């Protein structure tokens, strides 16, 4: 089978995935090719997780450094024993509560999973997605599916098939277009291989939800300039970045808005196009300035914000802005994941007001 000679974009109804299309995509996976598919978090770029050569194609397609491990997706909890070893009781308890869903568990790597999936580590990250297209595909392939987010490395994750095409046209065999992904930020990554569970990345399952099973669990933000820290891959600061630099402002709302208005004025005065990532409630404050505004939805509805965040960053790229200004909002629930993605989009440039 030719790999990526041309990328096929195929529409699939998430309510009732067409069996013939799913079967064709599963064939591509079995033959060592790449299939991009929607999950409830973001689109994934999938390959047979038991085939080292297929997995290496993911890294080249994304231009992802081989040091950053990828997540293995399964379709039912029984598959867990095929990909991981010495699974602790806590993993079973978390799986029972949160799978299928946006929680990834880092466990001891099973013998069926080649080392390049985990960038040579003895561990493996596993998740069972809930999206019907993802599940149908993994079931039809009857394989664990290695899949990072379907974006070029360090770009905002893809939350629509169009985003996947933007980044990976000609580098993937099939894109299953199931519309926009509902959660919009990636899964929560929880490392269970140490003496205590560690949140490596906040995501679609909130810390408050995790605390129902692991009382007191916290997230200790840790951002690295390079990926040299082998214990904590994927925590590099430059990630999810649009082309224009993002400046993230944090502090009391009205004070932050005043500072943002002044900076927007200065930027415009020096001839730059200014993009604004705003919640609905903040729009009015900026109406008197010629700005490229993209709304993230209501501040009271973090699930709207997470669903629109990556598309909003890409939209501002399309509008060719020179700089993007954003305001940090609450960190409860999904807010922790939203904050993390904004900090990384800003490459750590947080301006405390
Ligand atoms: O929601 C998601 O998790 C999406 C969808 C497609 O499932 N996938 C995703 O994959 O976001 P990716 O590769 O973009 O992010 C995976 C994260 C990275 O931060 C990576 O470093 C971490 O999980 N990770 C993967 N395997 C790991 C391992 N063995 N140990 C520690 N961290 C790992
Ligand atoms: Mg990613």
């Amino acid at each position: 089978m030719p790999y990526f000679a041309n990328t096929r974009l195929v529409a699939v109804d998430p309510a009732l995935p067409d069996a013939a299309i799913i079967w064709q995509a599963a064939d591509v996976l079995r033959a060592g090719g790449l299939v991009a598919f929607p999950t409830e978090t973001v689109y994934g770029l999938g390959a047979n997780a038991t085939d080292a050569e297929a997995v290496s194609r993911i890294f080249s397609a994304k231009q992802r450094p081989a040091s950053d491990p990828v997540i293995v997706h399964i379709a039912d909890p029984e598959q867990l024993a095929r990909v991981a070893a010495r699974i602790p009781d806590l993993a079973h308890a978390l799986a029972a509560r949160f799978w299928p869903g946006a929680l990834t568990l880092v466990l001891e790597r099973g013998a069926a999973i080649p080392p390049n999936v985990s960038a040579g580590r003895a561990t493996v990250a596993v998740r069972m997605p809930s999206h019907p297209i993802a599940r149908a595909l993994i079931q039809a392939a009857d394989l664990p599916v290695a899949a990072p987010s379907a974006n070029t490395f360090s770009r905002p994750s893809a939350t629509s098939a169009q985003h996947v095409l933007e980044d990976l046209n000609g580098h993937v065999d099939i894109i299953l277009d199931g519309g926009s992904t509902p959660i919009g930020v990636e899964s929560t990554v929880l490392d269970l291989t140490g003496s205590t569970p560690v949140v490596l990345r906040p995501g679609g399952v909130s810390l408050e939800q995790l605390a129902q099973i692991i009382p007191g669990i916290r997230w200790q933000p840790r951002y690295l300039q390079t990926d040299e820290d082998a214990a904590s891959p994927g925590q590099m600061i430059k990630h999810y970045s649009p082309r224009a630099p993002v400046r993230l402002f944090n502090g009391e709302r009205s004070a932050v808005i005043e500072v943002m208005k002044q900076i927007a004025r200065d930027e415009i005065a020096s001839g730059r196009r200014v993009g604004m990532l705003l919640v609905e409630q903040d729009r009015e404050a900026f109406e008197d300035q010629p700005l490229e505004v993209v709304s993230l939805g209501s501040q009271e509805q973090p699930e709207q914000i997470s669903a629109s965040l990556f598309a909003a960053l890409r939209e501002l790229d399309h509008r060719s802005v020179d700089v993007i200004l954003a305001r940090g909002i609450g960190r409860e629930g999904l807010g922790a994941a939203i904050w993390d993605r904004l900090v990384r989009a800003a490459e750590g440039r947080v301006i405390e007001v």
Side-chain angles (χ1 to χ4, degrees), residues 8 10-13 16-28 30 35 133 136-137 140-141 174 176:
R8 280 175 62 206
V10 191
V12 184
D13 180 359
L16 197 69
D18 182 294
I21 296 171
I22 295 294
W23 199 253
Q24 282 174 32
D27 268 345
V28 169
R30 279 190 293 262
V35 177
I133 296 177
L137 176 67
I174 301 189
L176 299 178

Side-chain angles (χ1 to χ4, degrees), residues 24 33 36 44 47 69 77 83 112 118 120 127 156 240 254 260 276 289 317 323 325:
Q24 282 174 32
V83 302
S118 312
R127 133 170 147 84
Y240 314 112
S254 58
M260 287 172 77
M276 306 292 292
Q289 297 194 62
D317 268 347
V323 61
L325 309 186

Side-chain angles (χ1 to χ4, degrees), residues 3-89:
Y3 300 111
F4 336 128
N6 41 38
T7 295
R8 280 175 62 206
L9 179 66
V10 191
V12 184
D13 180 359
L16 197 69
D18 182 294
I21 296 171
I22 295 294
W23 199 253
Q24 282 174 32
D27 268 345
V28 169
L29 289 178
R30 279 190 293 262
L34 299 188
V35 177
F37 59 94
T39 79
E40 68 278 22
T41 57
V42 300
Y43 273 74
L45 177 63
N48 175 357
T50 64
D51 176 348
E53 223 175 287
V55 169
S56 74
R57 285 188 190 104
I58 295 177
F59 286 89
S60 353
K62 282 195 61 141
Q63 296 161 30
R64 180 181 177 112
S67 56
D68 197 3
V70 303
I71 296 174
V72 172
H73 297 70
I74 58 176
D76 71 82
E78 271 82 82
Q79 265 187 314
L80 186 56
R82 280 167 67 183
V83 302
R86 294 202 302 171
I87 300 156
D89 290 345

Side-chain angles (χ1 to χ4, degrees), residues 42 62 64 68 148-151 153-155 157 186 201 239-240:
V42 300
K62 282 195 61 141
R64 180 181 177 112
D68 197 3
S149 51
N151 51 281
F153 186 66
S154 94
R155 292 272 301 148
S157 294
E186 303 83 348
R201 176 177 77 182
H239 217 114
Y240 314 112

